[in-house]
Amino acid sequence: MKKIIALFIMLLFGMALFAEIGRWQTDDYALSIQYNKTVQPGDAVFARLILKPRIKKMRRLTGTSSATMQLLSLPKDGAEQKSIGKATMYIINKSTDKKNPAKNDVLLAGIPLSSYCKVGDYQLKLIFSAFGKSEYEFTVPVTVVAKEFISETIPLNASNTAIKTNTSSTRMNQINRLNAILQAKNMDSVYSDGAFSAPNPATRRTSFFADRRVYAYSNGKSSTSLHYGIDYGIPTGSEVRSCAPGKVVMAEDRISTGWSVCIEHLPGLYSLYYHMSRLDISEGQMVAQGELLGLSGATGLATGPHLHWEIRLNMEAVSPDFFTTDFTFSDTQESKTYR
């Protein structure tokens, strides 16, 4: 049986992302949880768990410890709760200085929301255990508020129709390779702990995240899909820069997306940059926030010069705008106190 924590104090006040702070206390730890209570479809629910040992010489977290989070619908009319998504939390403040280790453990994780997620009230459940001790369970409220998405029809000429309908083994292998990259979740891949920045200073957007699209083919047929990122209407040759620190896990020419880059930032969190005319980095390279990746273009399936910028969390496409806020709560006073 799960042991419910005896002390539960919820402090409500506004921060970045409408952050909430929940505090609990166990026999071994004082715990503080920061999370974004109010979200829109296509955003993510992130939680930052700060563990402060209450006993001197308390062992630090190891692989024998675990913390997971799950987003659940509220039960209605006796119906069972439905799981919207779940994630395993990872340590983001590992210290390499044995003489001056971090005083507390800080864990982070995010659950992506589909752009079709229903508006309403949900519960975020966090479960924590360490060193074979009791398992503790926390539940906090989350509210999904409405967001409107654009519907559009994109006419494709013969060459773009050929790309969109290409079923060759080469294109399928490229799709499978990218999916395998985006599915990977290395719990030690903690390269970033702060807000992302846009990959280009341009403000003109030609398409938006989660646009509901109809592709009108040159042969009279059509297909429907979602637009997974943001398109910036910038001239060929415009600089494209990394939105955050990370590791380049893909840098190649693809049939659908042309010269493309994928960067890993946190476990399961990736940024993608499509239709570029030139790449200035290579796979396996570490990049800093704002580092030049290459130049924009119109390669692959493109109706004109632009940059497609996309963010994936646990395979789900999520709004890039969400990540330009302090989604890890790294700048809040609570985080600065516990570091």
Side-chain angles (χ1 to χ4, degrees):
M1 294 292 292
K2 295 181 176 64
K3 180 180 177 182
I4 305 298
I5 289 182
L7 178 62
F8 171 39
I9 304 174
M10 179 62 73
L11 302 180
L12 305 180
F13 53 91
M15 288 185 182
L17 286 177
F18 306 101
E20 305 284 340
I21 291 182
R23 290 196 180 101
W24 295 263
Q25 186 169 291
T26 74
D27 293 338
D28 306 311
Y29 291 98
L31 302 96
S32 175
I33 297 176
Q34 297 164 286
Y35 77 106
N36 49 313
K37 178 185 176 184
T38 305
V39 289
Q40 296 178 318
D43 287 346
V45 177
F46 265 81
R48 187 182 186 103
L49 176 61
I50 302 166
L51 303 171
K52 183 178 182 179
R54 299 184 63 211
I55 303 173
K56 289 184 178 181
K57 297 183 179 180
M58 169 68 73
R59 289 178 295 172
R60 304 303 302 279
L61 293 185
T62 66
T64 60
S65 307
S66 67
T68 60
M69 50 190 273
Q70 186 174 19
L71 188 64
L72 301 166
S73 62
L74 288 178
K76 295 181 180 179
D77 302 325
E80 293 185 1
Q81 286 185 301
K82 179 182 178 181
S83 176
I84 308 302
K86 58 183 179 180
T88 300
M89 305 192 81
Y90 43 87
I91 300 175
I92 61 173
N93 69 327
K94 291 182 179 179
S95 176
T96 58
D97 185 355
K98 294 183 180 180
K99 294 183 179 180
N100 186 31
K103 294 181 180 179
N104 310 290
D105 290 299
V106 181
L107 295 89
L108 184 75
I111 297 174
L113 298 183
S114 165
S115 63
Y116 291 103
C117 182
K118 293 182 179 180
V119 170
D121 294 324
Y122 295 82
Q123 290 180 334
L124 182 65
K125 179 188 291 186
L126 297 99
I127 301 173
F128 167 74
S129 65
F131 312 116
K133 294 182 180 294
S134 299
E135 189 174 73
Y136 297 96
E137 184 176 299
F138 324 84
T139 301
V140 294
V142 172
T143 301
V144 179
V145 298
K147 181 180 181 179
E148 295 292 328
F149 294 97
I150 294 173
S151 296
E152 61 178 351
T153 298
I154 307 293
L156 300 181
N157 59 21
S159 60
N160 280 329
T161 295
I163 292 174
K164 186 66 176 174
T165 57
N166 185 330
T167 58
S168 67
S169 60
T170 299
R171 181 169 181 257
M172 294 302 105
N173 288 338
Q174 290 175 351
I175 292 173
N176 291 336
R177 166 172 152 73
L178 179 55
N179 285 339
I181 290 172
L182 298 176
Q183 286 173 347
K185 192 172 184 180
N186 182 350
M187 302 302 279
D188 292 323
S189 297
V190 178
Y191 305 121
S192 177
D193 181 23
F196 288 7
S197 55
N200 184 278
T203 57
R204 177 173 172 261
R205 299 182 178 188
T206 53
S207 290
F208 300 85
F209 169 74
D211 285 354
R212 278 59 169 145
R213 283 185 167 180
V214 175
Y215 285 102
Y217 300 154
S218 60
N219 58 14
K221 298 181 180 181
S222 65
S223 66
T224 59
S225 70
L226 282 178
H227 186 239
Y228 289 147
I230 294 171
D231 285 350
Y232 291 95
I234 52 179
T236 294
S238 301
E239 290 185 345
V240 177
R241 296 185 175 275
S242 177
C243 64
K247 180 180 180 179
V248 178
V249 291
M250 185 191 75
E252 64 186 34
D253 188 16
R254 306 176 73 244
I255 292 174
S256 297
T257 59
W259 286 104
S260 306
V261 174
C262 180
I263 301 175
E264 181 182 29
H265 302 287
L266 287 169
L269 181 62
Y270 299 86
S271 63
L272 300 109
Y273 313 77
Y274 289 163
H275 310 297
M276 297 170 67
S277 61
R278 190 186 83 191
L279 302 186
D280 290 340
I281 42 77
S282 57
E283 188 172 321
Q285 180 178 336
M286 300 300 299
V287 293
Q289 186 167 25
E291 185 165 341
L292 183 66
L293 303 178
L295 303 179
S296 66
T299 56
L301 198 166
T303 57
H306 72 285
L307 170 67
H308 173 97
W309 180 40
E310 183 175 320
I311 305 293
R312 293 289 189 105
L313 174 61
N314 301 342
M315 278 293 289
E316 185 84 35
V318 281
S319 172
D321 288 326
F322 172 85
F323 292 91
T324 60
T325 65
D326 184 27
F327 70 96
T328 65
F329 311 105
S330 61
D331 289 334
T332 63
Q333 186 59 47
E334 184 83 359
S335 298
K336 292 177 181 177
T337 299
Y338 280 109
R339 279 190 171 184

